[in-house]
């Protein structure tokens, strides 16, 4: 319900700015606000560790419900303020929900639970934009009202869940708390390789997805329908990757799942980079979704499972900050390399994942 509520708010907001008749920078302003909000994950992670998480989630979603009717405002300044606050609260919700899920699931069962929850989110995320777009074409009031109802329903459901057992520190706030999650990730010898690999996968995933429209519509000269099919294949792969990554990690082993996910990503980029027909691009997109989400589910479970309960909010926020800072570099580098020769960015991305897989296997063997 939270994912649905976000889609019912975000897509109409994008359309309002795009169709406002303002300059081009104004049309892209909501996207910029969303990216800036993800960089606030560091200080927001502190809140997730200092306030009981169930209550924080319920309060944050209630605030988002109250912001949802702001879509009915027509003034760009007021819409900008609503969007900035909304995306900031979304970042806080994401960080807190990750830590809260780890509290409830426990370390041993975290991959399976993360995989199932992630699959549900991906399914809703795939359907929410077409649904929101259909509503916008019918009425300007219904998206905001349904978003309001979805957030209130999500807040009620969070309130019905048990309270987490994570201790809430009562000590005075120190500025250094903001960086404790990043420090923990970097100083833990067993987590450092996983964090580097996870950040790299996030980087190359953004690179590959950003180049799909250019490759399909400009290079292969396919129709927008084909691009929609390929996007659906990416979503299907992501759904299966999230589900299977969590379900198979205990049977196969975490290390084997991570290596297999890296190799699937490598194969995806090689398929896309050498594609002469959209079918190969679609296959690559499916493998990219499958491999990346399987990797993220298992790696994220290891990262949050190793973190002490009182630090999970800052660990989740610290990684979101790092990945959010790196992700925009992927499309920029991919676009620059594609201007030289189209296979270059895909070969680079595949080579990085292959190198990580080989290093991971060598480290395990040692």
């Amino acid at each position: 319900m939270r994912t649905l509520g976000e889609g019912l708010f975000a897509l109409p907001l994008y359309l309002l700015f795009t169709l406002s008749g303002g300059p081009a920078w104004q049309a892209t302003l909501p996207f910029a606000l969303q990216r800036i909000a993800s960089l606030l994950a560091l200080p927001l992670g502190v809140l997730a560790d200092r306030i009981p998480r169930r209550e924080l989630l319920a309060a944050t979603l209630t605030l988002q419900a109250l912001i949802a009717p702001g879509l009915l405002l027509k003034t760009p300044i007021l819409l900008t303020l609503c969007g900035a606050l909304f995306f900031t609260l979304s970042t806080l919700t994401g960080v807190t929900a990750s830590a809260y899920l780890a509290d409830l699931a426990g370390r041993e069962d975290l991959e399976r639970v993360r995989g199932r929850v992630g699959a549900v989110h991906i399914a809703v995320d795939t359907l929410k934009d077409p649904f929101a777009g259909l509503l916008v074409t019918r009425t300007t009031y219904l998206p905001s009202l349904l978003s309001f109802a979805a957030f209130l329903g999500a807040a009620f459901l969070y309130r019905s869940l048990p309270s987490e057992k994570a201790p809430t520190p009562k000590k005075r706030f120190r500025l250094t708390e903001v960086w404790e999650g990043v420090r923990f990730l970097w100083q833990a010898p067993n987590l450092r390789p996983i964090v580097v690999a996870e950040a790299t996968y996030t980087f190359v995933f953004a690179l590959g997805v950003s180049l799909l429209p250019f490759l399909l519509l400009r290079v292969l000269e396919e129709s927008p329908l084909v691009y929609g099919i390929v996007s659906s294949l990416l979503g299907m792969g992501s759904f299966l990757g999230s589900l299977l990554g969590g379900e198979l990690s205990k049977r196969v082993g975490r290390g084997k799942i991570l290596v297999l996910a890296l190799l699937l990503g490598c194969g995806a980029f090689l398929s896309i980079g050498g594609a002469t027909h959209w079918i190969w691009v679609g296959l690559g997109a499916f493998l990219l979704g499958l491999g990346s989400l399987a990797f993220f589910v298992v790696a994220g479970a290891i990262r949050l499972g190793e973190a002490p309960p009182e630090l999970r909010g800052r660990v989740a926020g610290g990684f979101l900050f790092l990945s959010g800072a790196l992700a925009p570099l992927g499309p920029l580098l991919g676009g620059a390399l594609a201007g030289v020769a189209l296979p270059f960015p895909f070969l680079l991305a595949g080579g990085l994942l292959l190198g990580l897989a080989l290093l991971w296997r060598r480290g395990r063997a040692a």
Side-chain angles (χ1 to χ4, degrees):
M1 293 183 74
R2 172 167 63 88
T3 302
L4 178 62
E6 290 181 351
L8 289 171
F9 181 91
L11 185 121
L13 183 69
Y14 299 151
L15 293 178
L16 284 172
F17 274 89
T18 302
L19 301 176
S20 65
W25 66 265
Q26 186 172 305
T28 60
L29 184 58
F31 295 93
L33 293 174
Q34 193 171 21
R35 298 299 178 266
I36 292 170
S38 69
L39 299 180
L40 298 175
L42 276 178
L44 294 176
V46 177
L47 292 179
D49 286 336
R50 297 185 71 89
I51 301 174
R53 290 169 188 147
R54 184 187 66 175
E55 284 71 19
L56 181 59
L57 283 167
T60 304
L61 290 168
T62 302
L63 287 175
Q64 286 187 282
L66 296 176
I67 294 171
L71 287 173
L72 303 177
L73 302 172
K74 301 300 181 182
T75 307
I77 293 178
L78 295 178
L79 284 173
T80 301
L81 291 175
C82 287
L85 181 56
F86 180 87
F87 291 129
T88 300
L89 291 172
S90 291
T91 301
L92 176 58
T93 303
V95 169
T96 309
S98 295
Y100 182 51
L101 184 64
D103 294 335
L104 296 181
R107 182 175 175 179
E108 298 301 321
D109 207 29
L110 189 52
E111 291 103 320
R112 184 177 62 85
V113 174
R114 277 176 56 88
R116 292 182 177 182
V117 171
V120 172
H121 278 287
I122 291 167
V124 176
D125 191 58
T126 302
L127 298 174
K128 66 179 175 56
D129 283 350
F131 179 59
L134 177 64
L135 291 178
V136 169
T137 61
R138 298 292 187 270
T139 173
T140 57
Y141 297 96
L142 201 53
S144 62
L145 294 178
L146 289 179
S147 179
F148 172 83
F151 279 122
L152 280 187
F156 175 78
L157 290 175
Y158 273 121
R159 285 291 303 167
S160 68
L161 291 171
S163 180
E164 76 278 5
K165 297 180 181 179
T168 303
K170 302 298 183 183
K171 60 185 180 181
R172 186 177 179 182
F173 171 75
R174 294 175 289 110
L175 189 60
T176 55
E177 286 185 48
V178 173
W179 296 98
E180 285 181 3
V182 175
R183 189 182 301 115
F184 173 83
L185 289 172
W186 190 250
Q187 290 179 348
N190 58 327
L191 289 183
R192 194 182 307 153
I194 294 175
V195 172
V196 171
E198 200 175 359
T200 303
Y201 220 143
T202 302
F203 170 80
V204 299
F205 181 86
L207 181 153
V209 171
S210 68
L211 285 174
L212 286 179
F214 176 78
L215 175 60
L216 289 167
L217 302 177
R218 294 266 305 267
V219 178
L220 298 180
E221 298 181 343
E222 297 291 347
S223 66
L225 174 61
V226 170
Y227 173 63
I229 293 173
V230 172
S231 296
S232 298
L233 289 171
L234 176 67
M236 290 171 57
S238 300
F239 176 85
L240 290 176
S242 181
L243 198 60
L244 294 177
E247 297 293 333
L248 297 179
S249 63
K250 277 191 175 181
R251 302 178 189 178
V252 179
R254 288 173 167 177
K256 290 182 179 179
I257 288 291
L258 293 175
V259 171
L260 178 60
L262 289 167
L263 293 176
L264 283 173
C266 175
F269 283 111
L270 294 180
S271 174
I272 297 172
T276 56
H277 193 278
W278 73 266
I279 291 292
W280 294 107
V281 180
L283 174 63
F286 178 82
L287 292 177
L288 180 59
L290 183 67
S292 60
L293 265 295
F295 189 92
F296 294 151
V297 163
V298 177
I302 295 173
R303 173 166 39 85
L304 289 172
E306 290 289 331
E310 68 273 13
L311 199 62
R312 281 176 179 154
R314 280 165 286 178
V315 167
F319 180 77
L320 182 59
F321 171 81
L322 294 174
S323 61
L326 285 175
L329 300 178
L332 292 175
L333 179 61
L337 291 177
V340 179
L342 187 59
F344 280 2
F346 299 106
L347 291 175
L348 172 66
L352 285 173
L353 296 183
L354 178 60
L356 287 171
L358 295 176
L359 288 173
W360 192 276
R361 291 193 64 181
R362 182 180 299 178
R364 287 291 177 181

